[in-house]
Amino acid sequence: MNWNLPNVTIGILGGGQLARMSAYAASRLGMRVAILEAEENSPAGQISAYEFSGKWSDRELLKRFAAASDVITLENEFVDSQILRELEALGKPVYPSALTLALVQDKARQKQTLSSAGLPVPAFARVQQVADVEKFAAEYGYPLVLKARRNGYDGRGNFTIRSKADIEEGFLRLGAAERSLMVEQYISFTKELALMVARNLLGEAVVYPLVETVQKNHICHIVTAPAAVPPSVAEKAAEIGRKAIESIGGIGIYGIELFLTYDNRVVINELAPRPHNSGHYSIEACLTSQFENHLRAVLNLPLGSPELIAPAAMVNLLGTNAAPVSAKGMEKALAVPGANIHIYGKKYSRPGRKMGHITALAPGGTAADALKIAQEAADYLVF
């Protein structure tokens, strides 16, 4: 494709923090962004050239959004793949494609695609009734993880089954009457890892450093880069990540969540067809951020180097109150040397909601040194 660079408008389905940081990257390259979000004044809409507000199912709104966009991408996988097919039918390039999204957003189909490509995933099965889980448990034992196949994130849509007595509660908690479910073998792990892979239409791909993630109530809380693992593990993870994105025909940037087992095996947990929380550190810590490489990839431009500039750490700023946003402690946080503060511009806070993040680098030091800086600043901020 021959784009009239930089006079390109990138359409993004969704207006949250991922779209906001993508818009920053687009602005740096002189490009414009059009946002389609349910409500006005979204975090990304606040800084974008065009903001369309309403339901994604509104066909006339979709047409206006498409008309304003040269290429279309998304910031979350909760949009139905049929919406992407409609945008494709309007003649717009859409990445990830409707086919790729369909392979990823249904977690059972995602696992089947990865497994068929020979990639390491937990044993899994689609389930419709309690007896299906009991049959799976007879082969793999307890504990197990019951999952909603669609629209689960940050631990929502997951339920750990520790014995037969938990199965019915899991079905109730996840709304089995209205949602398709699957069950997975529980993986005992020593670390939770992640990496980002960007890939363009020419098949050029770059793999970001392997990072370690630490969860807080199932929400990503801390990321340290690089992960403290043997080089052989990092190399294997990079190979798995690259092959995983190839297996789904992925264009753009993708987050791959991984488990490291006690015998140093790397197992895929889940894929995300978009920029990912575990890659936010790349804004300051890599030669090319995940957001810039996402834009480069969907425009089929040469990809930038994902090389790590220095060991780094990121701490998420999670909401503690259900109230209009008020960031207490900002002056103290800004006074911490080396702390890079990102606030997402959300109107309301609630417990566990991602309100921002802080990144720090440690040139000549370690990721643990960087984490001390980021955590010091994060401790001052209360949402």
Side-chain angles (χ1 to χ4, degrees), residues 131-325:
D132 296 332
V133 180
E134 292 175 346
K135 180 180 177 181
F136 188 85
E139 182 171 359
Y140 295 101
Y142 295 101
L144 302 170
V145 182
L146 190 66
K147 290 185 174 183
R149 287 168 55 181
R150 289 281 302 270
N151 300 341
Y153 70 101
D154 288 346
R156 300 177 179 91
N158 292 358
F159 184 87
T160 302
I161 297 173
R162 303 191 181 281
S163 70
K164 181 178 178 179
D166 295 334
I167 300 176
E168 287 193 11
E169 182 183 354
F171 271 68
L172 288 172
R173 289 274 191 95
L174 298 187
E178 299 175 354
R179 303 173 82 180
S180 297
L181 304 182
M182 63 181 291
V183 66
E184 281 187 359
Q185 179 184 19
Y186 185 91
I187 301 295
S188 296
F189 57 86
T190 59
K191 294 178 186 289
E192 290 186 81
L193 306 172
L195 51 74
M196 311 299 302
V197 178
R199 182 171 179 266
N200 65 19
L201 280 164
L202 295 174
E204 178 189 5
V206 296
V207 181
Y208 279 78
L210 186 67
V211 302
E212 182 175 355
T213 65
V214 178
Q215 318 305 310
K216 183 177 183 179
N217 298 323
H218 302 290
I219 300 170
C220 181
H221 180 48
I222 291 170
V223 174
T224 50
V229 297
S232 60
V233 170
E235 291 168 7
K236 185 63 177 176
E239 178 187 358
I240 288 170
R242 189 185 297 267
K243 288 182 177 179
I245 304 315
E246 290 175 356
S247 75
I248 60 171
I251 305 298
I253 197 150
Y254 293 75
I256 300 106
E257 299 174 2
L258 305 158
F259 294 129
L260 180 64
T261 67
Y262 284 87
D263 56 355
N264 274 349
R265 289 183 301 113
V266 177
V267 179
I268 297 175
N269 178 21
E270 291 180 358
L271 305 184
R274 51 170 170 78
H276 194 262
N277 202 155
S278 65
H280 291 353
Y281 75 95
S282 66
I283 295 173
E284 287 87 15
C286 295
L287 291 178
T288 313
S289 76
Q290 66 160 336
F291 301 100
E292 181 175 328
N293 259 339
H294 179 57
L295 302 181
R296 291 189 187 206
V298 301
L299 290 168
N300 204 30
L301 298 172
L303 300 179
S305 170
E307 181 183 343
L308 191 67
I309 296 169
M314 185 216 72
V315 177
N316 262 329
L317 301 172
L318 304 178
T320 58
N321 302 301
V325 167

Side-chain angles (χ1 to χ4, degrees), residues 41 93 115 157 170 297 329 354:
N41 197 36
S115 179
K354 295 169 185 171

